[in-house]
Amino acid sequence: MSFQQGLSGLDAAASSLDVIGNNVANASTVGFKRANANFADVFAASLGIVGASQIGIGVSIGGIQQQFTQGNLTTTDNALDVAVNGGGFFRMSDDGAISYTRNGQFHIDNQGYIINDQKLRLTGYPVSVTGAITPANPIELQLSASQIPPRATSDPLAGDVAAVLNLDSRDTVPVLSPFDYTNPSTYNFSTALTVFDTLGVSHNLTTYYVLNAPTPPTGGEWTVYATLDGANPQVVPGGNLVFNTSGALSSVPTYTLPSWPLSSGAVTPWSPGVIDFTGTTQYGSASSVDRLTQGGYTTGSLVGIGVLGDGIVQGRYSNGQTRSMGQLVLATFADPNGLLNLGNNEWSETSTSGPELVGAPASGSRGVIQSAAVEDSNVDLTNELVAMITAQRNYQANAQTIQTQDQIMQTLINLR
């Protein structure tokens, strides 16, 4: 029986060395998960033999179990290299055949799909026409390189022009009148802002502030003028800016900026929309701009792509805007060790693993995404080399039991 035991030990030790060798060979494979060879003893079942009298007949490989522990993250220069810090697998599609991977080395093909080195397409949630992510059945993520259209400053989606200023309470009424934007002696303060029309053409909106009532004892009252590209200066409708003795606005009326003809010569006038002075003050310090914003922009070309921590793929455009282009998903399983290893760092679902549980990164037990990074193999070469020495010794010891049994058999044959 010792021959059988020794042979089983040789087979098990050889299998263990195979597993260790595979781990060592993939020590630099992105997203690789090391495996362990689990051993199980073998007993022959015979009638009439009580448990205490049983002698094992060897060893077998109980299973090869992968260890889905986190690997170290290494930064790269590719924004589409993404790593999962935590649980979950990237969900890949090969003409509808779904597989899973921890290797996040992605790039874009000539059709705009995000693919890996095996040409499998990354799946995720699509983006609606309004730019919102739509959690639904994951699809193959396809990015568009098209320009984004311009948005006029007057577009309701752009919001109001916001001006938060401080107008100097120490100022006096200008000595010259009437207002003339070409003569600084006819106004107290001015500021400028770039705005955009419906075609994305930029214009210079300048506002002028003229103190027309002394500060004490009633506070200050300022008239606001505006001009577009230096043409047709007009009083901003909505009334004057009136401050109380504490330097705050007595009220914040709605100021609708006047209309101007388009620079192209079109008959239809154009207005940058509403200007909001909420937060503007009149204190005893130099007039200044605290905030001056607007929500319009010109057309933009795609200049870069990044992935946020929640998996949203974001495009960056030449006009300074960003757009969500989709959101990659992560799949988790009740028993990841039940996944079928397909090679190329790919796994497929089985009845043992349970069905996929798909969701956005950073939700549930799913990890967060780090862009421009990859997850290294979780192989520890030091541990593997020690395990290799142990497996080698096991192999030698089992070979010794066979050699010893052979010597015993030889002794019996030589008996006279």
Side-chain angles (χ1 to χ4, degrees):
M1 186 178 292
S2 295
F3 285 118
Q4 182 177 348
Q5 295 163 336
L7 286 172
S8 68
L10 291 176
D11 288 341
S15 297
S16 177
L17 283 169
D18 288 342
V19 172
I20 295 170
N22 187 60
N23 290 342
V24 172
N26 286 281
S28 298
T29 301
V30 171
F32 177 80
K33 299 302 177 184
R34 61 179 293 270
N36 287 336
N38 296 339
F39 300 111
D41 57 352
V42 179
F43 279 83
S46 301
L47 293 175
I49 299 180
V50 296
S53 302
Q54 286 183 292
I55 299 176
I57 60 173
V59 65
S60 66
I61 295 294
I64 307 297
Q65 191 171 41
Q66 290 199 293
Q67 306 299 309
F68 289 97
T69 55
Q70 179 71 44
N72 295 326
L73 303 187
T74 300
T75 58
T76 70
D77 295 327
N78 177 19
L80 283 180
D81 281 345
V82 289
V84 182
N85 192 354
F89 297 82
F90 298 113
R91 188 177 184 272
M92 310 302 296
S93 173
D94 183 10
D95 290 331
I98 302 301
S99 60
Y100 310 93
T101 184
R102 292 280 296 194
N103 186 343
Q105 293 176 303
F106 299 124
H107 52 279
I108 300 176
D109 67 8
N110 57 7
Q111 300 179 63
Y113 289 102
I114 301 177
I115 62 172
N116 63 9
D117 292 339
Q118 287 72 46
K119 311 301 181 185
L120 305 183
R121 294 174 177 175
L122 181 65
T123 66
Y125 296 139
V127 62
S128 68
V129 293
T130 62
I133 300 297
T134 307
N137 290 329
I139 63 170
E140 297 174 352
L141 291 178
Q142 185 177 26
L143 310 184
S144 173
S146 301
Q147 291 185 330
I148 58 173
R151 184 167 73 183
T153 301
S154 57
D155 191 312
L157 294 176
D160 299 336
V161 175
V164 181
L165 316 171
N166 179 66
L167 299 176
D168 194 342
S169 64
R170 301 168 299 181
D171 278 353
T172 58
V173 175
V175 294
L176 296 181
S177 63
F179 167 76
D180 179 2
Y181 76 97
T182 64
N183 186 353
S185 297
T186 63
Y187 57 87
N188 299 83
F189 182 64
S190 67
T191 186
L193 175 69
T194 300
V195 294
F196 298 89
D197 63 24
T198 56
L199 300 179
V201 178
S202 63
H203 302 270
N204 185 50
L205 173 68
T206 307
T207 52
Y208 303 85
Y209 303 86
V210 179
L211 179 65
N212 54 32
T215 300
T218 60
E221 182 176 336
W222 302 69
T223 301
V224 183
Y225 295 85
T227 179
L228 191 72
D229 297 331
N232 302 322
Q234 303 178 46
V235 174
V236 175
N240 294 336
L241 293 175
V242 179
F243 297 91
N244 59 30
T245 55
S246 297
L249 283 170
S250 299
S251 64
V252 186
T254 299
Y255 294 90
T256 302
L257 289 166
S259 298
W260 290 273
L262 288 172
S263 59
S264 61
V267 177
T268 304
W270 174 74
S271 169
V274 174
I275 185 168
D276 182 4
F277 286 100
T278 300
T280 293
T281 58
Q282 181 188 254
Y283 295 143
S285 58
S287 296
S288 60
V289 177
D290 294 330
R291 183 163 63 92
L292 193 60
T293 60
Q294 60 85 43
Y297 47 80
T298 188
T299 186
S301 301
L302 184 67
V303 295
I305 296 173
V307 184
L308 305 183
D310 57 1
I312 291 179
V313 182
Q314 192 175 73
R316 300 188 305 277
Y317 293 84
S318 57
N319 58 2
Q321 299 300 304
T322 59
R323 286 290 184 276
S324 296
M325 309 178 79
Q327 183 179 30
L328 64 86
V329 296
L330 295 178
T332 58
F333 299 88
D335 181 13
N337 286 305
L339 293 170
L340 177 63
N341 197 329
L342 304 176
N344 287 322
N345 283 348
E346 302 287 334
W347 291 270
S348 65
E349 175 187 311
T350 68
S351 59
T352 304
S353 68
E356 65 175 8
L357 303 173
V358 177
S363 66
S365 61
R366 299 169 189 88
V368 297
I369 298 299
Q370 182 169 333
S371 180
V374 294
E375 181 187 9
D376 295 338
S377 168
N378 65 353
V379 172
D380 185 328
L381 281 177
T382 301
N383 289 338
E384 296 301 322
L385 293 175
V386 172
M388 185 183 300
I389 293 171
T390 302
Q392 181 183 11
R393 293 293 179 261
N394 288 340
Y395 194 95
Q396 292 171 338
N398 281 282
Q400 187 65 41
T401 64
I402 294 175
Q403 183 179 357
T404 301
Q405 184 65 22
D406 177 59
Q407 291 172 350
I408 293 172
M409 290 295 292
Q410 188 66 37
T411 301
L412 290 174
I413 292 173
N414 292 335
L415 286 176
R416 287 192 169 55

